[in-house]
């Protein structure tokens, strides 16, 4: 059973794992750290996931990717390619989870359905 704190704030375990992934990115040497942090910010804004498990998995995998790049001495451009935003979008697309846009789509459909019912009277 969830504690009342988790009911208000969400899973504490998810937050712990997210913070661990972020700490791993913070520990990267430059310029990998700066790049990984920029992607973290971009993905939080653009991916739109509201499912905590999806976010945690995505950022854990993302930290793995950058740590591997450091270990292999892969240049940043060798990781992200010629289209940095395209790389981020493709990376995020590999994960499935509930997005904030899903809720907005449901709200829009509900309003249109209600309007249709009202006009059918």
């Amino acid at each position: 059973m969830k504690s009342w704190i988790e009911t208000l704030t969400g899973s504490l375990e998810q937050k712990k794992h997210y913070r661990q992934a972020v700490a791993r990115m913070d520990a990267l040497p430059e310029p990998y750290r700066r790049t990984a942090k920029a992607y973290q910010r971009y993905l939080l804004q653009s991916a739109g996931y509201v499912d905590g498990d999806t976010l945690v998995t995505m950022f854990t995998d993302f930290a793995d990717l950058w740590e591997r790049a450091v270990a292999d001495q892969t240049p940043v451009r060798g990781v992200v390619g010629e289209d940095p935003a395209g790389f981020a979008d493709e990376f995020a697309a590999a994960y499935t989870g509930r997005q904030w846009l899903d809720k907005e789509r449901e709200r829009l459909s509900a309003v249109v359905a209600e309007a249709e019912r009202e006009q059918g009277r």
Side-chain angles (χ1 to χ4, degrees), residues 2 16 42 50 55-56 71 77 83 86 89-90 94 106 109 112 114:
K2 283 185 174 181
K16 175 184 165 188
Y42 180 87
V50 294
L55 280 173
V56 168
R77 190 60 80 170
D83 181 8
D89 296 341
E90 285 182 34
E106 290 168 7
S109 293
V112 170
E114 180 66 26

Side-chain angles (χ1 to χ4, degrees), residues 17 19 33-34 42 59 64 70 79 81 92 95 109:
H17 290 297
R19 283 192 299 273
R33 174 184 23 237
R34 183 174 54 250
Y42 180 87
F59 282 115
D64 291 344
V70 169
V79 176
Y95 297 86
S109 293

Side-chain angles (χ1 to χ4, degrees), residues 44-71:
L44 282 172
Q45 297 297 318
S46 69
Y49 292 113
V50 294
D51 172 22
D53 287 332
T54 301
L55 280 173
V56 168
T57 300
M58 182 172 65
F59 282 115
T60 298
D61 292 348
F62 200 66
D64 291 344
L65 171 77
W66 287 105
E67 287 172 342
R68 182 82 260 155
V70 169

Side-chain angles (χ1 to χ4, degrees), residues 1 3 6 12 23-24 28-29 41 46 48-50 53 58 72 85 89-90 92 102 106 116 118:
M1 183 157 122
S3 72
E6 285 190 354
L12 296 177
R24 290 171 55 201
L28 295 168
R41 184 176 48 252
S46 69
Y49 292 113
V50 294
D53 287 332
M58 182 172 65
D72 293 343
D89 296 341
E90 285 182 34
D102 296 332
E106 290 168 7
E116 182 180 43
E118 289 174 8

Side-chain angles (χ1 to χ4, degrees), residues 82-103:
E82 293 303 315
D83 181 8
F87 167 77
D89 296 341
E90 285 182 34
F91 188 88
Y95 297 86
T96 57
R98 187 153 167 82
Q99 295 180 317
W100 67 267
L101 195 54
D102 296 332
K103 292 196 302 189

Side-chain angles (χ1 to χ4, degrees), residues 6-52:
E6 285 190 354
T7 300
L8 291 174
T9 65
S11 169
L12 296 177
E13 193 65 25
Q14 284 175 349
K15 287 178 181 16
K16 175 184 165 188
H17 290 297
Y18 174 78
R19 283 192 299 273
Q20 288 171 342
V22 170
R24 290 171 55 201
M25 286 185 268
D26 287 340
L28 295 168
E30 291 297 347
Y32 298 96
R33 174 184 23 237
R34 183 174 54 250
T35 306
K37 296 300 284 183
Y39 273 101
Q40 175 196 4
R41 184 176 48 252
Y42 180 87
L43 289 167
L44 282 172
Q45 297 297 318
S46 69
Y49 292 113
V50 294
D51 172 22

